[in-house]
Amino acid sequence: MSTTPGPPSPLPLPAAVVPDGCPSWSGEHARRWLDALPPRWVPLPSRSRQLLTALSATAAATALLVLPAGWQPWAAALPALHGLWLYARPEIVPVSAPVLAVPLAVLRPGTTWPETAVAVTFLALVWAAAVPRLVARRRQRDRARDAAAGITAPLPDTGRPLARGRFLLVCGGVLLACGLAAVAVVPAPPPDPSEAARVLPALAWLVAGQGLATLVSGLLGRRRAAALRAAPAPVLRVLVREGADGDTEVFAADDTAALRPLFRVAVTEAGDKEGDDRELDDFLARVDREGPGPLREALMYGVPCDGAEILLLTAAEAADGPPVVERSSGPVRPLSEATVRRLLAAEKRRAAREASHAELRRAAGETVARERKPETRDGGPAGIRQWRAGLLDRLRALLLVLWAGVVFWGDTGGWRYALGALAGFVGALWLPHWVAWRITADREGLWLGGLRGPRLLPWDEIRTVDCTGTELKLDSRRASFTSWSAHAPRWPWLERRFGLLHPYERTAAEITALWRDPSLRPSVSADRGQRGRPLWPLALVPAVAWAAALLFLS
């Protein structure tokens, strides 16, 4: 599936770690496993952000049923929550949907029979989608066991503490308790309630429903991870790579071109404390990498299916590195044919954007090199160099301020004052950086402006100087250093059409030239005024103006 060039062959796994007789998950067995997926109309989430979309849709549907339709809070929130549960925890739906359909049909919370019929029909459709998805899991498990041919092996992380599900259990328990407590405390809305009287109970039901889904996720994840380690598990040879979004993609063992990922799974390394520094360097390298990682051989322990827990023993990306034990930190998410086509199209678009930005960076570097030649004839520049916010930065800040004004001034309701105050606080912190950022280069390194004053990034500690899309980013090798970044709008097609050079590309090229070639660096140190002044006084101006506007509106 990858459109980016990769290594000629997958990174090998040491033969010593492969159990005797361990079979490979071949393309034929993988196709049989894919054929066991539920029908196309059954939703199969492939990314975590889809769950966020489902949560947003749940909140929007609840708001529509509560405010315009006038439904009771519980009757508005609980059917809408089934859309979230279908994506996140379909195990809940076969029980909850029939149980909820009965009081909906009897109490008729809608103003008319058609409204109630629509809600009950929606529950029936959700139930009809959840059951085939759960049934398909059994077929997937059976076909994965057939591929393993009865070969099992103990997991390599046996005896290590199991943290899977703890965080979800705590968060889910807290959310469920808070939501149910709010449901019990908030009084039922009167016959002609205000907006707040209807919205607050519905919000409590939503919190409780989200807490239930999170709690069930923690319980199932922990139980399945513990069951995986209770006895020797089926093991298969596969190929894996880290996807562009951080999740691990699993391929059939003979898919050396990475054409068809079978499923995705979020993993975490089960390492020891001694390797923290090496793991941090590997993590930073993965963050800087664009696109998917290299294809690696791996052993997969467990029976993969929708929602399953697995363990991977993968070849290290570093040369001569030991195999890496990676535990699943999220459920297995199978990839349907339609999802793979969308991923392929998205990867092609990303590759085209990267190629476009790479061409712009190359042009910027050549332009800077030509302009720097006259300066270096006399042995190198002596003065400091500075880069500042420009017209595009101020245009972005102005557009965001205008957008915020339209949002908060064009609406009514008491909620806008609280959100407006929060937006004003955040804007006061960020606007000075957007309109007045400054980078100063001197003999010691780069001075990066900020609210509390400039920070020094020494030349020998620079890790990243990059202009990717709309972002100019500088980062340090020190873990305690917070990365510096600025954003400005850009249109690559317009830059290519008219031969324009984005200011961020020029800035990144010039700083990179100084970083790579010490002879080009300034030979003097910047004084206090040249390094830049604290930006916090500038933050007071928008804060006071925004507060005055909110008071005027009230």
Side-chain angles (χ1 to χ4, degrees), residues 371-415:
E371 295 176 354
R372 298 289 292 172
K373 285 181 180 179
E375 300 180 14
T376 58
R377 288 175 181 171
D378 299 330
I384 66 170
R385 296 184 63 86
Q386 289 185 332
W387 302 267
R388 301 170 182 267
L391 179 61
L392 291 177
D393 299 274
R394 297 183 178 94
L395 175 63
R396 173 177 178 262
L398 177 61
L399 292 176
L400 288 175
V401 170
L402 292 177
W403 174 82
V406 170
V407 170
F408 292 106
W409 268 254
D411 205 343
T412 58
W415 63 270

Side-chain angles (χ1 to χ4, degrees), residues 1-339:
M1 189 186 81
S2 177
T3 60
T4 57
S9 60
L11 299 177
L13 191 67
V17 302
V18 180
D20 294 336
C22 178
S24 298
W25 200 6
S26 65
E28 179 182 355
H29 284 101
R31 283 190 294 272
R32 293 187 66 246
W33 185 84
L34 290 173
D35 290 340
L37 291 176
R40 295 180 179 180
W41 55 270
V42 175
L44 279 178
S46 60
R47 293 184 176 180
S48 299
R49 67 185 183 186
Q50 291 177 324
L51 301 181
L52 297 178
T53 303
L55 179 59
S56 301
T58 298
T62 303
L64 290 175
L65 292 176
V66 167
L67 295 179
W71 283 41
Q72 290 293 321
W74 68 268
L78 291 180
L81 279 168
H82 277 71
L84 173 65
W85 293 343
L86 177 62
Y87 267 89
R89 285 274 62 98
E91 297 87 351
I92 303 175
V93 174
V95 176
S96 62
V99 170
L100 179 60
V102 174
L104 285 178
V106 173
L107 300 178
R108 287 195 298 163
T111 56
T112 61
W113 264 110
E115 293 182 5
T116 303
V118 168
V120 174
T121 302
F122 173 74
L123 291 176
L125 292 176
V126 171
W127 183 89
V131 171
R133 183 176 170 187
L134 298 177
V135 172
R137 293 180 177 182
R138 187 180 304 111
R139 296 196 302 267
Q140 290 176 293
R141 289 194 295 267
D142 292 340
R143 297 185 183 183
R145 288 194 182 96
D146 291 341
I151 302 299
T152 61
L155 271 66
D157 70 338
T158 302
R160 294 179 180 176
L162 182 62
R164 178 75 172 104
R166 289 179 183 174
F167 179 76
L168 294 178
L169 286 172
V170 173
C171 289
V174 171
L175 288 175
L176 182 59
C178 291
L180 294 178
V183 169
V185 171
V186 176
D192 189 15
S194 63
E195 289 186 5
R198 285 184 291 175
V199 168
L200 290 180
L203 180 61
W205 282 104
L206 286 178
V207 172
Q210 174 63 29
L212 176 61
T214 306
L215 182 63
V216 172
S217 296
L219 288 172
L220 291 178
R222 188 163 185 81
R223 189 186 72 177
R224 291 168 180 171
L228 177 63
R229 290 158 178 80
V235 58
L236 286 167
R237 301 190 67 163
V238 295
L239 298 178
V240 301
R241 73 174 181 187
E242 184 181 22
D245 59 354
D247 286 346
T248 293
E249 299 174 346
V250 177
F251 300 82
D254 52 4
D255 188 6
T256 56
L259 298 177
R260 181 41 167 107
L262 304 175
F263 61 84
R264 282 178 164 179
V265 60
V267 299
T268 181
E269 292 187 14
D272 297 325
K273 297 292 185 179
E274 300 176 356
D276 286 347
D277 293 337
R278 178 180 56 81
E279 291 177 7
L280 177 60
D281 292 339
D282 294 343
F283 171 76
L284 294 177
R286 290 195 298 269
V287 170
D288 290 340
R289 180 174 59 210
E290 296 180 354
L295 200 62
R296 297 171 288 160
E297 293 183 354
L299 296 177
M300 178 179 63
Y301 293 83
V303 183
C305 68
D306 177 26
E309 299 286 327
I310 63 171
L311 182 137
L312 297 171
L313 181 64
T314 69
E317 294 188 14
D320 300 328
V324 181
V325 177
E326 297 179 340
R327 297 173 171 176
S328 57
S329 58
V332 167
R333 301 189 187 280
L335 300 177
S336 64
E337 293 293 342
T339 300

